[in-house]
Amino acid sequence: MHLFISLALACLSSIQPVWALLDHRATSDVPPYVLEYAPLVWLHSQETYMPSDIQQQVDHTRPNVNWTIIEGVQSPLNLNNLDTLNSMGNTSVYLTSLEGIEANPEPAWFRGIRPDSQGRIGNGTGSVIVIADRGNGTVDAFYFYFYAFNKGGKVLGLEFGDHIGDWEHNMIRFVNGTPDAIWYSQHASGQAFTYAAVEKKDKRPYVYSARGTHANYAIAGKHDHTIPGFNLPAGFLMDYTDRGVLWDPVLNVYTCTYDNTTAAFKAVNSNDPVAWLDFNGRWGDDQPPNEPSIFGEAKNVAGPNGPKFKGLDRELVCPSKPCFVLPFRIFAVNATS
């Protein structure tokens, strides 16, 4: 434990101001406060499945419908033309891995890219910022994080919820350039807090990414998600977070705006791909045929859909009602079991 703390402090001390290291693709067209208050992500000290390059996911998969490869797909398929798959199956398209979710040995690309001492994932781009101006001085900034693989949790020794492809996010609601509240995505739900309530590095909120599942929490420790949003320290469905490796997603990031009226994305920098955000399909394999399940839960499940399906036009800080914005956070005891 003392070793983990020492490593975490060393990593933290090496994180420079965002303006000093910011990737050249994030330009002055981004409101300065969107970067100034951008979250920092603590990956678990025992994390195996690190952030991943978004294009790499396309490179290692083939679009399928009903486990059949789609013919006539543009080649090469990339983030500039991924939306063309909408006319070839729409929401039924799955970016299906070449090796399969049960491949042995496990493909190296499942494991993503470990952040370096600066918090950068090499030359990979594993995040996207989506800026939605709601008018009247209110701007929602969505910070999306991508992982090639999600390792599900265990219940009574049985594993559930593995899937290829994993999208998680925070959303910060700004009012006249000042952060008001922040959303942490957790499985099918999440939690909202006032900006003042959460832990920070200077102005930047900390996010604790759960080992394997990458669910986002405001505190380190044990998190039961049997009852979504309650974040109890014990239960049947456990997530674990701690200060392992610090990832700074804005160092390798795509940036775009989202028009709530037209549902249109626009790249902030013309060099950034944007068509992929309109892709309606899934970012991983479909659930395998005849996958055994217990009470409707299976070990291997379907991959997720992308950022456009995460409530970008939400009225509240939460993507659905009811929405409780907590003015405090409950500290948990650090655990890595």
Side-chain angles (χ1 to χ4, degrees):
M1 181 60 70
H2 292 297
L3 176 60
F4 287 146
I5 293 174
S6 298
L7 291 174
L9 290 173
C11 180
L12 177 59
S13 66
S14 67
I15 296 295
Q16 301 179 32
V18 63
W19 301 108
L21 293 171
L22 185 63
D23 189 275
H24 70 278
R25 288 172 300 189
T27 74
S28 59
D29 291 332
V30 179
Y33 55 81
V34 170
L35 301 175
E36 187 178 358
Y37 295 94
L40 292 164
V41 181
W42 280 112
L43 301 165
H44 194 275
S45 56
Q46 297 176 3
E47 182 60 74
T48 299
Y49 304 100
M50 297 291 175
S52 300
D53 181 70
I54 302 169
Q55 174 63 49
Q56 177 184 259
Q57 197 77 0
V58 179
D59 295 339
H60 287 280
T61 60
R62 294 293 180 270
N64 278 223
V65 172
N66 294 326
W67 293 97
T68 301
I69 294 178
I70 302 173
E71 301 293 341
V73 172
Q74 288 193 28
S75 181
L77 191 63
N78 55 47
L79 300 184
N80 287 308
N81 58 24
L82 195 66
D83 60 330
T84 60
L85 297 177
N86 293 346
S87 64
M88 310 177 83
N90 203 22
T91 57
S92 297
V93 176
Y94 288 79
L95 298 181
T96 305
S97 61
L98 300 177
E99 301 90 344
I101 195 169
E102 293 282 7
N104 188 11
E106 182 180 74
W109 64 272
F110 279 16
R111 304 204 167 199
I113 307 168
R114 184 182 182 87
D116 62 20
S117 61
Q118 295 180 334
R120 184 189 295 274
I121 58 168
N123 294 321
T125 301
S127 60
V128 58
I129 298 174
V130 179
I131 305 164
D133 190 337
R134 299 187 56 82
N136 297 318
T138 300
V139 172
D140 290 345
F142 294 83
Y143 305 87
F144 286 97
Y145 319 122
F146 185 70
Y147 305 84
F149 189 81
N150 177 101
K151 189 70 168 176
K154 289 187 176 181
V155 180
L156 301 177
L158 300 175
E159 188 171 312
F160 296 95
D162 291 359
H163 54 82
I164 295 175
D166 192 16
W167 283 105
E168 300 292 346
H169 75 279
N170 292 109
M171 188 273 273
I172 299 180
R173 175 156 291 179
F174 295 92
V175 179
N176 297 321
T178 300
D180 181 64
I182 180 171
W183 169 258
Y184 290 75
S185 69
Q186 301 163 2
H187 305 285
S189 184
Q191 290 179 300
F193 299 87
T194 63
Y195 170 78
V198 299
E199 186 183 2
K200 307 171 190 71
K201 160 69 172 172
D202 298 324
K203 296 180 179 180
R204 302 182 66 184
Y206 278 140
V207 180
Y208 291 89
S209 176
R211 184 184 68 204
T213 72
H214 311 121
N216 294 320
Y217 294 93
I219 57 176
K222 299 179 180 181
H223 312 270
D224 173 57
H225 55 94
T226 305
I227 304 175
F230 272 66
N231 193 22
L232 300 176
F236 288 103
L237 299 175
M238 297 300 298
D239 275 333
Y240 302 92
T241 62
D242 68 11
R243 290 194 177 198
V245 178
L246 191 59
W247 176 33
D248 189 346
V250 303
L251 299 182
N252 306 68
V253 67
Y254 298 128
T255 53
C256 70
T257 59
Y258 176 78
D259 189 310
N260 289 309
T261 302
T262 63
F265 296 96
K266 181 180 179 181
V268 169
N269 186 308
S270 60
N271 292 327
D272 280 0
V274 70
W276 64 275
L277 288 162
D278 280 313
F279 172 54
N280 290 335
R282 301 291 192 113
W283 286 81
D285 295 16
D286 195 356
Q287 182 167 317
N290 303 315
E291 176 77 5
S293 63
I294 300 175
F295 302 114
E297 300 294 332
K299 178 179 184 294
N300 298 314
V301 299
N305 46 29
K308 70 179 292 186
F309 295 92
K310 309 304 182 184
L312 300 180
D313 59 351
R314 66 186 68 174
E315 177 184 356
L316 305 174
V317 178
C318 314
S320 60
K321 299 178 181 179
C323 183
F324 303 102
V325 181
L326 302 175
F328 58 86
R329 65 188 191 277
I330 299 175
F331 289 93
V333 177
N334 283 341
T336 57
S337 60

